[in-house]
Amino acid sequence: MKPKMNQSLILEVAKLNEHGKPILDKYSRPIVSKSSHVCRTREHGEALTTPQLRVQDGKDEIDVLPDTPVTEGAKVEYTTIGGRRKHGTILSIVETTNLTASKVYFRTCVVDV
């Protein structure tokens, strides 16, 4: 059973030229286009404590549909279950399939906050 996806995701994808290279502006930054998709989010926060310092590490998980064009390293803006807007970068992508791996149900993106 697939849970409902009630949150939103804005994905920044670089525009490509006819040779497959990103189109750059006059400051040598890639020109991006933004697209909106549905998603489901989970927030995870961890606090690592040592005698010298305390480090907080936050990683969120975003579930997207299999036809969403996500790539590692892409910048995203998403809405959490509580309605907060967050920004981050996709660190890794994991696919959830059926037992025979013939169908992808959804993809889970781990986002560094």
Side-chain angles (χ1 to χ4, degrees):
M1 178 173 149
K2 293 185 254 183
K4 299 204 183 279
M5 296 192 177
N6 295 327
Q7 288 81 35
S8 65
L9 170 76
I10 298 174
L11 184 64
E12 294 181 4
V13 179
K15 292 183 180 181
L16 303 176
N17 62 9
E18 63 273 357
H19 301 294
K21 306 259 184 188
I23 300 173
L24 304 176
D25 62 1
K26 66 179 185 178
Y27 301 109
S28 297
R29 291 180 298 202
I31 298 175
V32 296
S33 63
K34 295 184 178 184
S35 58
S36 181
H37 304 280
V38 295
C39 69
R40 180 179 56 246
T41 61
R42 287 182 300 283
E43 295 181 283
H44 297 285
E46 300 174 358
L48 305 173
T49 306
T50 63
Q52 289 81 22
L53 68 132
R54 178 186 171 113
V55 177
Q56 292 185 351
D57 186 25
K59 294 195 183 350
D60 293 347
E61 294 180 1
I62 301 174
D63 294 335
V64 295
L65 296 174
D67 58 348
T68 305
V70 292
T71 58
E72 292 182 4
K75 299 212 180 282
V76 294
E77 177 182 341
Y78 56 97
T79 307
T80 62
I81 294 173
R84 287 190 8 224
R85 304 285 281 161
K86 285 183 148 183
H87 302 282
T89 306
I90 297 177
L91 297 177
S92 66
I93 301 169
V94 178
E95 292 184 341
T96 301
T97 62
N98 60 358
L99 290 174
T100 61
S102 61
K103 182 177 180 182
V104 176
Y105 288 127
F106 56 89
R107 293 183 179 151
T108 301
C109 303
V110 177
V111 176
D112 185 23
V113 182

